[in-house]
Amino acid sequence: MSMNNAPNVFLDANANRFQVNIINEDRDNNETTQEDVGSDPPHYEETSFTDETHNRLRISYRPGKRELYDNFRQNGEKTEASLHPYDTHSKMYYLQTFGHNTMDPVPKIDYYRNTGSVSGNKLNRPSLLEIHEQLAKNIAVSTGSVERVANGESTTGDETAASKEEENKTGFVKFGWVKGVLVRCMLNIWGVMLFIRLSWIVGQAGIGLGVIIILLATMVTSITGLSTSAIATNGFVRGGGAYYLISRSLGPEFGGSIGLIFAFANAVAVAMYVVGFAETVVELLKESDTLMVDESNDIRIIGTITVVCLLGISVAGMEWEAKAQVILLIVLLVAIANFFIGTVIPTNTEKKARGFFNYQASIFAENFGPDFRSGEGFFSVFAIFFPAATGILAGANISGDLKDPQSAIPQGTMLAILITTIAYIAVAICAASCVVRDATGNVNDTIVPGMSCNGSSACGLGYDFSRCASQPCDYGLMNNFQVMSMVSGFGPLITAGIFSATLSSALASLVSAPKVFQALCKDNVYKGLEFFAKGYGKNNEPIRGYVLTFVIAMAFILIAELNTIAPIISNFFLASYALINFSCFHASYAKSPGWRPAFRYYNMWVSLFGALLCCGVMFVINWWAALITYAIELFLYIYVTYKKPEVNWGSSTQALYFVNALDSALALTTVEDHVKNFRPQCLALTGAPMVRPALLDITHTFTKNNGLCICCEVYTGPRKLCVKEMNSGMEKKQAWLTKNKRKAFYAAVAADSFRDGVKSLLQASGLGRMKPNTLVMGFKKDWRSAPATQVENYVGIIHDAFDFELGVIIVRISQGFDISQVLQVQEELEKLEQERLALEATIKENDFEEGKRGICGFFKKASTLNISKHETKKESTINTMQSMHVGEFNQRLLEASTQFKKKQGKGTIDIWWLFDDGGLTILIPYILTIRKKWKNCKLRIFTGGKVNRIEEEKLVMASLLSKFRIKFADINIICDINIKPNKESWKFFEEMIEPYRLHESCKDITTAEKLKRETPWKITDAELEAFKEKSYRQVRLNELLQEHSRAANLIVLSLPVPRKGAVSDYLYMAWLEILSKNLPPILMVRGNHKNVLTFYS
């Protein structure tokens, strides 16, 4: 093969990444080419590159496929590009990257998208069934399809194009990491605390402890930032910020509870920041004596005006809000720079009197250590500072408005934490190096020659502030909150910085709260909040959320009691941080393969430490606020857990469930079985669980919270159809069990016969020690009319269960278990009811339209009347059908199907323990009596014995049961089991088996042998004679059961074991029929003859 090195193949800028290899058309030419390049290693692909002269697509075909390929070539002969292989709608296949006819597509991101993804359309790759099955012979390939595929598009291109066009039309506004995250986080972290409290904090704690306080707060936020970065880079992040990160990691329970309080905290934070701004403005008005009403009302008025302005900026769109944030950041940076410039500008006499002496080593040394006053301590000062470090989620909260949240959130958040921390430390050190702790503000408090000094740094600099030790002073780090304004080069710039800090934080919170709340409402975690999920405009703005946030903020501004609510808000934010850290730890601990964050600089144990640290800080800030926060979160968690929203986000909680279950199952394999720990682990042949509910109910009664229960279904028939039906119904049937609170698993197999399927289930069901040990099946009521193969399969399953050493329980109720026909009728009636409701809706709509048209509607009234008549007719038809089906299927069948769900009244469970099978026959009814529905039933024991030893036999049985600690009401010794039944009963039995007898003794040997070969399942005379005594016993037992247990709530009876190769299927079925005929619900039980009871401790 010679490779074509033409530039149009390898150097074409428009060429797609994957190229279709070109195949030589004619075999001779191909052979010649191979000879020319004999030294090249052989190629085993079905493709090759031809010479430049044959620069067109050629195809190597397989036998019988030439027609198809010719058709393709005629339609797309001139196409010379890489072809996308597969069209999910028209089921076409094309030449693939690998050059042969395959439906296998190359890896593509669109196959991995979620349905409804805004970043691109989800494509469906061909299913395994489509690839695995034989290719369809008639495949139409259109030129347009080939062209679209050749350009790297799927044939869903029309839909994709429409989606793209809509996306371009809407024009989403997306931010990069600087404007979207860095700017927001810096503005939110730098708050009023920087300008009016940091100097007091460093005065109380000193430079050393002050820096430690800042670093401790930074450690909490940095760990949270690392955890946030890890979660944000573990997949595509949508809008919702902290709520989205927590809910997708820990599930809706944690996410829903924290999301609501986080959104509320942001809404109240708007009021806090606005009040901070209003207080500053009111102070300025007070200084100039221009108050409008009084201080409190002026704060309310200014606060209201401010919130309305901020709301206008937010509603105008994210672009305007982002521009406002940038302007506020510039003002804030200028204010901070103004402070640092002021520290190096030579001070004057007035500033010296107020404690400012520029940088002095003596002041630095004096202020390095702590000087806690007024009952303050390290933790109380830390509690005051910590809210200044919060705000790290400002960027993450608008994750839906970021171009690339995965890279923007880590970069912006961590850099913002670094910059703001450096700024806090620098301002704290600079302020404490320039300003003394106490100053009088009196320019005359200077030291004159001969005057004694207290040894403070102020004394060394010529000022005597010693009277501040005995009386309060107004200046210095400890007394003046406006230290930064005094030190700065231009005081009003600090005021502008305060305005900028408060307004930017308020604006960030005003945007964050509705975005988080909208994401919460979209997920429908709280059913009543869907109203706020709707978005408007090109950025899907949550206008309704803005209005709600505005109302909450206004309420708290008017209340003006924010000192009480502030600690709770801080704790709400800390609770969010704690859960983000825990989410990161939990996801790492669960070891889910889906946890693959691109951000690697995190550690699960550091995240756990961060979560504990956040919880500790909550109590440090305010213990009662922490308790309130936990109480609210717990209440919301319980509420969401109870409501169980129908969402599946692949949370780490789900992953941990799996890990714990796997670890427990593996640990269980090392535990040896012990008779004391025996519990029935049942394989119930229910088919679809909703079809035989009574069989499931009785099985569930003795396995619930006690043992394993697997509902099994066997599909027989054409394998392809069976597998398809089985796979499609798996989740639905397991969901039915969950919805109906049945603690059971559903398992299904496809097999050639019912017996083969059950055999597979008997061998392969379960996991480790959690394997079935008991087979539960319903009695085959139709055995006399069923084909011989079905009877053979049924009895064969019992043989197989005994072969695999499982116990067997056969359950019989008078009405039978199968209610599939009733379900079918109910389904039909539901459809008719839906049609009736649709018809009613149509009539109402028509009436409304006619009413609008006025008099014109009068002329169309006749048609409406006709529809009404039709409706009445249909309703009567439905009623007729209902009554007909109730009569046909008998209400008793439905009642029988629910009889084991009802509470059983006072009565008895009669146990006919005729043969020792290891104790299963007595254990099953005992378990029933400890259940709530059966606790009023008493156990009566019936067993065989001799006439002359009745009392001794009773004592022996009573002793045995007392050692097993099983309570009983009565013990009956039956002495006449082995006498012959009465003639009527025996005659009924003989008539029942008559159609299945061979009667070979009445025929000659040749005819008899022929009949045996043709009908091997029939009962021979020899067999009937051999087991005559046993047949007598079964018939006699039914007479005794009728006599003693006719009124019992339930009968539990030892199941006779069919001897393999000796007892025919029909004779055994006749025994079961005669044993259980005309009796209350009966369980025929046979254990595997291994002990399931013990009297040893």
Side-chain angles (χ1 to χ4, degrees):
M1 286 180 197
S2 64
M3 293 192 68
N4 182 0
N5 293 325
N8 63 335
V9 176
F10 293 98
L11 304 177
D12 184 6
N14 296 320
N16 287 0
R17 182 178 172 184
F18 296 108
Q19 296 292 331
V20 174
N21 294 337
I22 312 297
I23 309 261
N24 288 328
E25 179 178 17
D26 95 280
R27 211 172 284 175
D28 297 332
N29 189 25
N30 195 22
E31 288 171 5
T32 308
T33 311
Q34 287 179 1
E35 287 171 10
D36 291 342
V37 199
S39 59
D40 288 348
H43 292 268
Y44 297 104
E45 299 171 339
E46 296 182 350
T47 62
S48 66
F49 287 102
T50 60
D51 299 331
E52 273 185 61
T53 53
H54 295 280
N55 193 11
R56 63 193 183 98
L57 186 64
R58 310 302 296 173
I59 304 163
S60 66
Y61 55 87
R62 292 177 181 170
K65 298 290 181 181
R66 174 146 198 169
E67 221 174 353
L68 172 67
Y69 294 140
D70 286 345
N71 180 39
F72 176 87
R73 205 172 67 211
Q74 287 164 13
N75 287 293
E77 191 174 16
K78 300 295 181 186
T79 305
E80 183 188 336
S82 100
L83 302 184
H84 193 281
Y86 186 67
D87 178 353
T88 56
H89 290 271
S90 56
K91 302 290 184 294
M92 303 179 199
Y93 65 91
Y94 304 98
L95 282 185
Q96 178 56 287
T97 305
F98 311 105
H100 56 277
N101 55 317
T102 176
M103 295 172 76
D104 264 339
V106 293
K108 190 175 183 181
I109 192 172
D110 294 327
Y111 296 128
Y112 297 90
R113 295 190 192 280
N114 284 339
T115 306
S117 171
V118 295
S119 56
N121 273 17
K122 174 179 172 59
L123 297 182
N124 294 321
R125 71 176 64 80
S127 68
L128 186 60
L129 185 68
E130 290 168 327
I131 293 173
H132 189 218
E133 292 296 325
Q134 189 175 359
L135 285 169
K137 290 183 179 179
N138 299 318
I139 301 175
V141 182
S142 66
T143 309
S145 300
V146 174
E147 285 172 2
R148 284 199 298 274
V149 173
N151 291 325
E153 300 172 9
S154 162
T155 351
T156 52
D158 295 338
E159 293 174 17
T160 309
S163 174
K164 298 276 184 192
E165 187 182 340
E166 185 179 344
E167 188 173 323
N168 293 334
K169 194 186 294 182
T170 53
F172 294 110
V173 177
K174 298 289 185 181
F175 302 113
W177 70 275
V178 174
K179 192 185 283 189
V181 182
L182 180 65
V183 170
R184 290 172 190 282
C185 287
M186 287 171 62
L187 283 170
N188 227 24
I189 294 171
W190 279 331
V192 182
M193 204 71 70
L194 175 67
F195 296 102
I196 62 175
R197 286 290 185 276
L198 192 58
S199 57
W200 177 85
I201 287 166
V202 78
Q204 289 276 356
I207 294 173
L209 286 182
V211 171
I212 289 174
I213 285 172
I214 294 169
L215 291 176
L216 183 58
T218 302
M219 182 168 67
V220 174
T221 56
S222 296
I223 293 172
T224 307
L226 293 173
S227 299
T228 304
S229 301
I231 299 170
T233 58
N234 188 52
F236 184 75
V237 178
R238 298 181 187 231
Y243 160 72
Y244 186 88
L245 298 177
I246 294 169
S247 63
R248 268 47 176 189
S249 293
L250 291 179
E253 295 84 5
F254 282 105
S257 57
I258 205 67
L260 201 59
I261 65 174
F262 186 72
F264 177 77
N266 272 288
V268 178
V270 175
M272 288 175 58
Y273 295 130
V274 167
V275 167
F277 168 76
E279 284 177 349
T280 310
V281 175
V282 168
E283 284 296 320
L284 294 174
L285 293 175
K286 191 177 176 184
E287 286 176 13
S288 60
D289 197 25
T290 54
L291 288 174
M292 291 177 281
V293 185
D294 55 55
E295 286 188 41
S296 297
N297 285 315
D298 280 14
I299 289 172
R300 292 186 177 103
I301 293 166
I302 294 166
T304 302
I305 295 169
T306 306
V307 171
V308 171
C309 294
L310 293 177
L311 180 66
I313 294 171
S314 302
V315 172
M318 291 297 292
E319 287 176 288
W320 286 96
E321 189 266 347
K323 288 172 184 175
Q325 292 281 30
V326 171
I327 293 168
L328 292 171
L329 178 64
I330 292 169
V331 173
L332 196 57
L333 291 172
V334 169
I336 294 171
N338 176 46
F339 166 76
F340 289 117
I341 292 169
T343 59
V344 295
I345 295 174
T347 185
N348 55 36
T349 306
E350 185 183 352
K351 288 186 177 181
K352 284 182 179 179
R354 294 181 178 184
F356 174 50
F357 296 96
N358 294 112
Y359 291 104
Q360 301 292 337
S362 58
I363 296 177
F364 179 87
E366 184 180 72
N367 289 343
F368 191 83
D371 184 15
F372 294 112
R373 302 178 191 174
S374 305
E376 300 291 350
F378 177 83
F379 288 110
S380 64
V381 172
F382 173 78
I384 291 170
F385 172 76
F386 185 81
T390 59
I392 60 170
L393 296 179
N397 286 340
I398 63 158
S399 52
D401 296 295
L402 300 174
K403 286 178 185 173
D404 184 9
Q406 286 183 287
S407 63
I409 291 174
Q411 287 181 51
T413 304
M414 298 312 296
L415 187 58
I417 292 171
L418 178 64
I419 293 171
T420 52
T421 302
I422 292 171
Y424 274 129
I425 292 173
V427 169
I429 293 174
C430 290
S433 302
C434 299
V435 184
V436 295
R437 279 194 168 103
D438 297 293
T440 59
N442 190 345
V443 294
N444 297 319
D445 285 345
T446 55
I447 293 178
V448 295
M451 188 176 179
S452 63
C453 187
N454 60 1
S456 67
S457 59
C459 288
L461 296 169
Y463 281 81
D464 179 21
F465 299 142
S466 56
R467 65 186 173 94
C468 290
S470 57
Q471 66 183 53
C473 293
D474 294 331
Y475 298 97
L477 294 174
M478 303 290 279
N479 310 303
N480 182 16
F481 290 151
Q482 302 296 330
V483 165
M484 282 191 73
S485 183
M486 177 191 70
V487 171
S488 66
F490 183 60
L493 274 179
I494 298 299
T495 304
I498 294 172
F499 288 172
S500 174
T502 51
L503 291 176
S504 62
S505 296
L507 194 56
S509 297
L510 186 58
V511 170
S512 296
K515 295 279 185 185
V516 172
F517 193 59
Q518 184 186 35
L520 179 68
C521 296
K522 274 184 178 177
D523 288 336
N524 204 20
V525 175
Y526 299 99
K527 298 290 182 186
L529 301 178
E530 302 97 328
F531 176 78
F532 295 99
K534 185 173 174 58
Y536 297 87
K538 59 185 179 182
N539 250 42
N540 196 32
E541 294 291 349
I543 303 297
R544 295 172 179 178
Y546 282 130
V547 173
L548 180 64
T549 305
F550 171 77
V551 170
I552 294 171
M554 279 300 303
F556 281 96
I557 287 170
L558 296 175
I559 291 168
E561 289 294 332
L562 293 180
N563 290 337
T564 307
I565 202 77
I568 299 177
I569 301 307
S570 296
N571 276 335
F572 280 3
F573 286 124
L574 272 169
S576 305
Y577 296 171
L579 275 181
I580 287 174
N581 284 310
F582 185 72
S583 298
C584 184
F585 162 75
H586 200 270
S588 304
Y589 183 74
K591 296 174 184 155
S592 171
W595 174 248
R596 302 185 302 276
F599 184 82
R600 297 293 180 187
Y601 306 104
Y602 75 96
N603 180 275
M604 61 184 284
W605 300 111
V606 172
S607 295
L608 179 62
F609 173 71
L612 297 174
L613 200 60
C614 288
C615 294
V617 170
M618 288 172 71
F619 282 96
V620 166
I621 289 177
N622 193 303
W623 65 268
W624 58 263
L627 291 177
I628 290 173
T629 304
Y630 284 131
I632 293 172
E633 191 176 332
L634 181 63
F635 169 76
L636 292 173
Y637 178 88
I638 292 169
Y639 173 81
V640 177
T641 305
Y642 174 75
K643 288 295 182 182
K644 290 182 181 173
E646 294 178 2
V647 293
N648 181 14
W649 295 323
S651 65
S652 59
T653 309
Q654 293 170 320
L656 196 61
Y657 283 157
F658 180 84
V659 171
N660 290 341
L662 185 62
D663 289 342
S664 299
L666 288 170
L668 195 61
T669 58
T670 63
V671 179
E672 291 187 15
D673 289 332
H674 193 282
V675 63
K676 284 197 295 185
N677 294 322
F678 176 87
R679 56 195 68 222
Q681 304 199 117
C682 297
L683 193 78
L685 300 183
T686 59
M690 64 282 288
V691 170
R692 293 177 180 82
L695 183 60
L696 172 60
D697 289 338
I698 190 64
T699 309
H700 187 253
T701 305
F702 51 80
T703 59
K704 182 183 178 184
N705 299 328
N706 190 50
L708 180 71
C709 179
I710 305 177
C711 299
C712 297
E713 185 171 11
V714 178
Y715 289 87
T716 57
R719 187 173 184 80
K720 184 177 176 181
L721 294 175
C722 287
V723 170
K724 186 177 180 181
E725 186 182 352
M726 180 178 72
N727 291 340
S728 63
M730 281 279 191
E731 288 186 11
K732 179 184 174 184
K733 287 161 187 175
Q734 185 62 56
W736 186 90
L737 289 169
T738 306
K739 183 182 176 183
N740 288 273
K741 298 180 181 177
R742 296 290 174 264
K743 296 186 178 181
F745 298 97
Y746 172 76
V749 293
D752 295 331
S753 70
F754 182 64
R755 182 179 180 182
D756 288 342
V758 176
K759 200 182 292 185
S760 300
L761 289 165
L762 290 171
Q763 295 176 85
S765 295
L767 184 70
R769 295 282 183 192
M770 293 187 295
K771 289 181 74 69
N773 54 32
T774 307
L775 174 69
V776 181
M777 55 199 299
F779 177 70
K780 189 169 180 59
K781 199 176 176 185
D782 65 342
W783 66 274
R784 282 185 276 185
S785 58
T789 51
Q790 287 189 15
V791 177
E792 183 185 356
N793 281 337
Y794 184 83
V795 178
I797 287 166
I798 299 171
H799 286 302
D800 294 335
F802 289 143
D803 286 343
F804 297 131
E805 296 190 338
L806 270 74
V808 175
I809 300 175
I810 298 177
V811 189
R812 183 175 185 180
I813 59 177
S814 58
Q815 300 295 326
F817 292 107
D818 193 345
I819 62 167
S820 55
Q821 289 179 307
V822 176
L823 294 176
Q824 190 177 351
V825 169
Q826 286 179 344
E827 191 178 341
E828 289 174 4
L829 291 172
E830 283 173 9
K831 284 181 182 176
L832 287 171
E833 180 65 15
Q834 287 173 0
E835 287 178 15
R836 187 181 68 80
L837 293 173
L839 190 63
E840 282 182 358
T842 305
I843 291 168
K844 286 178 183 177
E845 189 179 341
N846 289 341
D847 285 346
F848 179 73
E849 290 294 327
E850 288 167 9
K852 286 199 298 184
R853 291 172 193 155
I855 196 165
C856 298
F858 176 78
F859 296 102
K860 295 188 179 178
K861 211 69 176 174
S863 61
T864 308
L865 289 171
N866 287 336
I867 293 171
S868 301
K869 286 175 185 176
H870 179 70
E871 179 197 11
T872 310
K873 185 178 179 181
K874 192 156 190 172
E875 278 185 357
S876 65
T877 305
I878 291 169
N879 293 332
T880 306
M881 284 186 69
Q882 283 177 334
S883 59
M884 178 186 69
H885 286 301
V886 166
E888 185 179 343
F889 293 103
N890 199 330
Q891 193 64 25
R892 285 182 298 172
L893 182 59
L894 282 174
E895 288 175 4
S897 70
T898 59
Q899 62 180 305
F900 297 125
K901 288 180 183 176
K902 298 171 185 173
K903 188 171 183 179
Q904 306 294 317
K906 288 186 178 180
T908 63
I909 298 176
D910 288 0
I911 306 167
W912 290 71
W913 196 12
L914 305 177
F915 310 107
D916 195 328
D917 59 351
L920 188 66
T921 308
I922 199 79
L923 180 64
I924 293 295
Y926 165 74
I927 294 173
L928 288 176
T929 58
I930 63 176
R931 302 299 188 195
K932 189 162 51 174
K933 291 185 177 70
W934 292 85
K935 67 179 182 180
N936 292 328
C937 294
K938 306 295 182 185
L939 297 183
R940 292 199 304 172
I941 314 298
F942 294 83
T943 188
K946 296 179 181 178
V947 179
N948 57 353
R949 287 178 51 85
I950 291 178
E951 293 305 319
E952 291 88 340
E953 297 281 2
K954 272 191 179 182
L955 289 173
V956 169
M957 180 57 71
S959 173
L960 179 62
L961 292 173
S962 63
K963 285 182 179 178
F964 287 149
R965 303 169 304 283
I966 292 176
K967 294 181 181 179
F968 56 90
D970 192 16
I971 295 175
N972 294 279
I973 305 299
I974 307 299
C975 306
D976 52 351
I977 292 176
N978 290 321
I979 66 171
K980 282 186 179 183
N982 63 48
K983 291 180 181 179
E984 289 79 8
S985 300
W986 181 249
K987 185 181 178 184
F988 175 83
F989 178 77
E990 286 186 320
E991 288 174 353
M992 181 171 59
I993 64 173
E994 180 61 33
Y996 315 107
R997 290 187 61 182
L998 193 63
H999 290 294
E1000 78 279 8
S1001 57
C1002 304
K1003 299 175 179 64
D1004 59 81
I1005 297 174
T1006 309
T1007 307
E1009 290 298 326
K1010 184 182 177 185
L1011 286 171
K1012 281 183 184 178
R1013 287 195 301 271
E1014 290 175 352
T1015 53
W1017 44 270
K1018 285 202 170 183
I1019 306 168
T1020 63
D1021 293 341
E1023 178 192 356
L1024 194 59
E1025 187 61 34
F1027 294 103
K1028 193 165 189 177
E1029 292 297 323
K1030 204 165 185 179
S1031 297
Y1032 281 157
R1033 189 190 307 151
Q1034 314 309 327
V1035 178
R1036 176 60 184 155
L1037 274 172
N1038 182 260
E1039 291 176 352
L1040 294 169
L1041 285 162
Q1042 297 284 352
E1043 180 184 342
H1044 295 283
S1045 299
R1046 183 75 178 165
N1049 291 48
L1050 183 71
I1051 299 171
V1052 181
L1053 171 70
S1054 292
L1055 175 72
V1057 178
R1059 196 173 293 279
K1060 267 203 298 188
V1063 179
S1064 64
D1065 299 334
Y1066 277 93
L1067 179 59
Y1068 184 66
M1069 290 304 298
W1071 288 351
L1072 298 184
E1073 173 73 38
I1074 199 66
L1075 263 177
S1076 56
K1077 188 172 179 61
N1078 297 329
L1079 289 171
I1082 182 168
L1083 272 62
M1084 293 177 275
V1085 180
R1086 175 67 69 152
N1088 63 358
H1089 286 242
K1090 292 180 181 178
N1091 288 349
V1092 300
L1093 295 171
T1094 182
F1095 50 82
Y1096 295 107
S1097 59

